[in-house]
Amino acid sequence: MEGSIVSGSQDGQIASPRRAPSQQRSRERVERMLAAASALIAEQGSDAMRMGEVAERAGVSIGSLYQFFPDKRAIVWALAERYTAEGQACIAAALAEVSDAEGLRRAFSELVDIYYGLFLAEPVMRDIWSGTQADKALRELELVDSRANAEFLTAVLKRLRPAADPAALETTAFLIWQMGEATMRLAISVGRQEGDDLVAAYKRMALRELVGE
């Protein structure tokens, strides 16, 4: 039996508005659906994508598609969740072993560069997060993601500044992460050179706060 569709949030986690596949064959079919949707978004954007196109490209019936994704928003949500999970894993790994200011400077700089590079290189990711502000549920997902990522940064700051106020460190980390996401969204909406300059300016500002540069 497949998992049921859920909505809302539990314990700070935003639930996905889609049916979760529990059988291997169903999971493989869902993967084909998401791959098809990704290709269509890359070609024409999520606004122009149609459920029938996704089903046709994935080689499944429209009924099968609707079984797992009740609407286009659920597909976009599933892709956003995937990018979010991959991003959190990358951030956690990059910050896990940081033990001094130089290590934080290097790890944070590399993460900013990686994140910006992904936005530039991945049209699907760019499409999804460019439209985040128009979708309340996606804004909530982004907020939960920001808090989770900020916790990784907070853990580093606590190691480097054991005498500092923990609440102040949490606020600093959360604000820096939110500013970073806003910067990325702005950077991909302007010309490439201006975008590069915005990201470089953000990096300098954030590092001054984090390590005193």
Side-chain angles (χ1 to χ4, degrees):
M1 180 179 295
E2 305 296 346
S4 60
I5 298 172
V6 292
S7 61
S9 62
Q10 298 178 344
D11 300 325
Q13 298 298 314
I14 308 299
S16 173
R18 68 182 180 92
R19 185 179 297 277
S22 58
Q23 300 173 1
Q24 179 63 28
R25 186 166 55 183
S26 296
R27 287 195 292 270
E28 292 172 354
R29 190 158 63 245
V30 166
E31 285 301 314
R32 293 204 310 273
M33 296 172 189
L34 291 177
S38 292
L40 288 166
I41 292 173
E43 292 169 8
Q44 60 192 30
S46 58
D47 287 344
M49 182 179 69
R50 297 292 178 264
M51 295 292 277
E53 292 177 310
V54 176
E56 181 178 1
R57 183 165 297 200
V60 301
S61 68
I62 191 68
S64 180
L65 177 64
Y66 278 117
Q67 178 186 3
F68 296 102
F69 300 100
D71 51 30
K72 182 170 68 174
R73 172 180 166 272
I75 295 177
V76 173
W77 180 286
L79 294 171
E81 284 184 316
R82 177 164 297 184
Y83 281 119
T84 294
E86 291 173 353
Q88 286 187 15
C90 176
I91 292 161
L95 297 178
E97 303 301 322
V98 172
S99 59
D100 55 31
E102 174 58 25
L104 176 56
R105 183 200 64 76
R106 183 171 57 252
F108 185 83
S109 296
E110 290 175 354
L111 281 172
V112 171
D113 292 341
I114 291 170
Y115 202 57
Y116 183 41
L118 285 173
F119 266 90
L120 292 173
E122 291 285 347
V124 178
M125 182 178 181
R126 188 165 62 246
D127 180 281
I128 290 171
W129 294 117
S130 292
T132 296
Q133 299 308 304
D135 187 313
K136 183 176 183 295
L138 281 178
R139 289 200 306 272
E140 292 177 353
L141 178 63
E142 183 184 49
L143 183 60
V144 169
D145 181 48
S146 290
R147 291 191 185 280
N149 291 331
E151 288 178 2
F152 299 131
L153 185 56
T154 298
V156 175
L157 293 177
K158 287 179 178 179
R159 291 198 295 273
L160 301 186
R161 308 176 193 174
D165 177 13
L169 296 180
E170 291 170 2
T171 298
T172 295
F174 183 43
L175 183 57
I176 285 174
W177 218 271
Q178 276 285 295
M179 289 175 61
E181 291 175 350
T183 299
M184 297 301 164
R185 190 173 288 109
L186 178 60
I188 63 174
S189 68
V190 299
R192 176 60 188 272
Q193 185 57 57
E194 186 177 7
D196 291 352
D197 293 343
L198 287 167
V199 172
Y202 163 72
K203 191 189 297 186
R204 290 194 299 271
M205 292 168 59
L207 287 173
R208 278 198 298 270
E209 181 64 30
L210 291 172
V211 297
E213 290 195 355

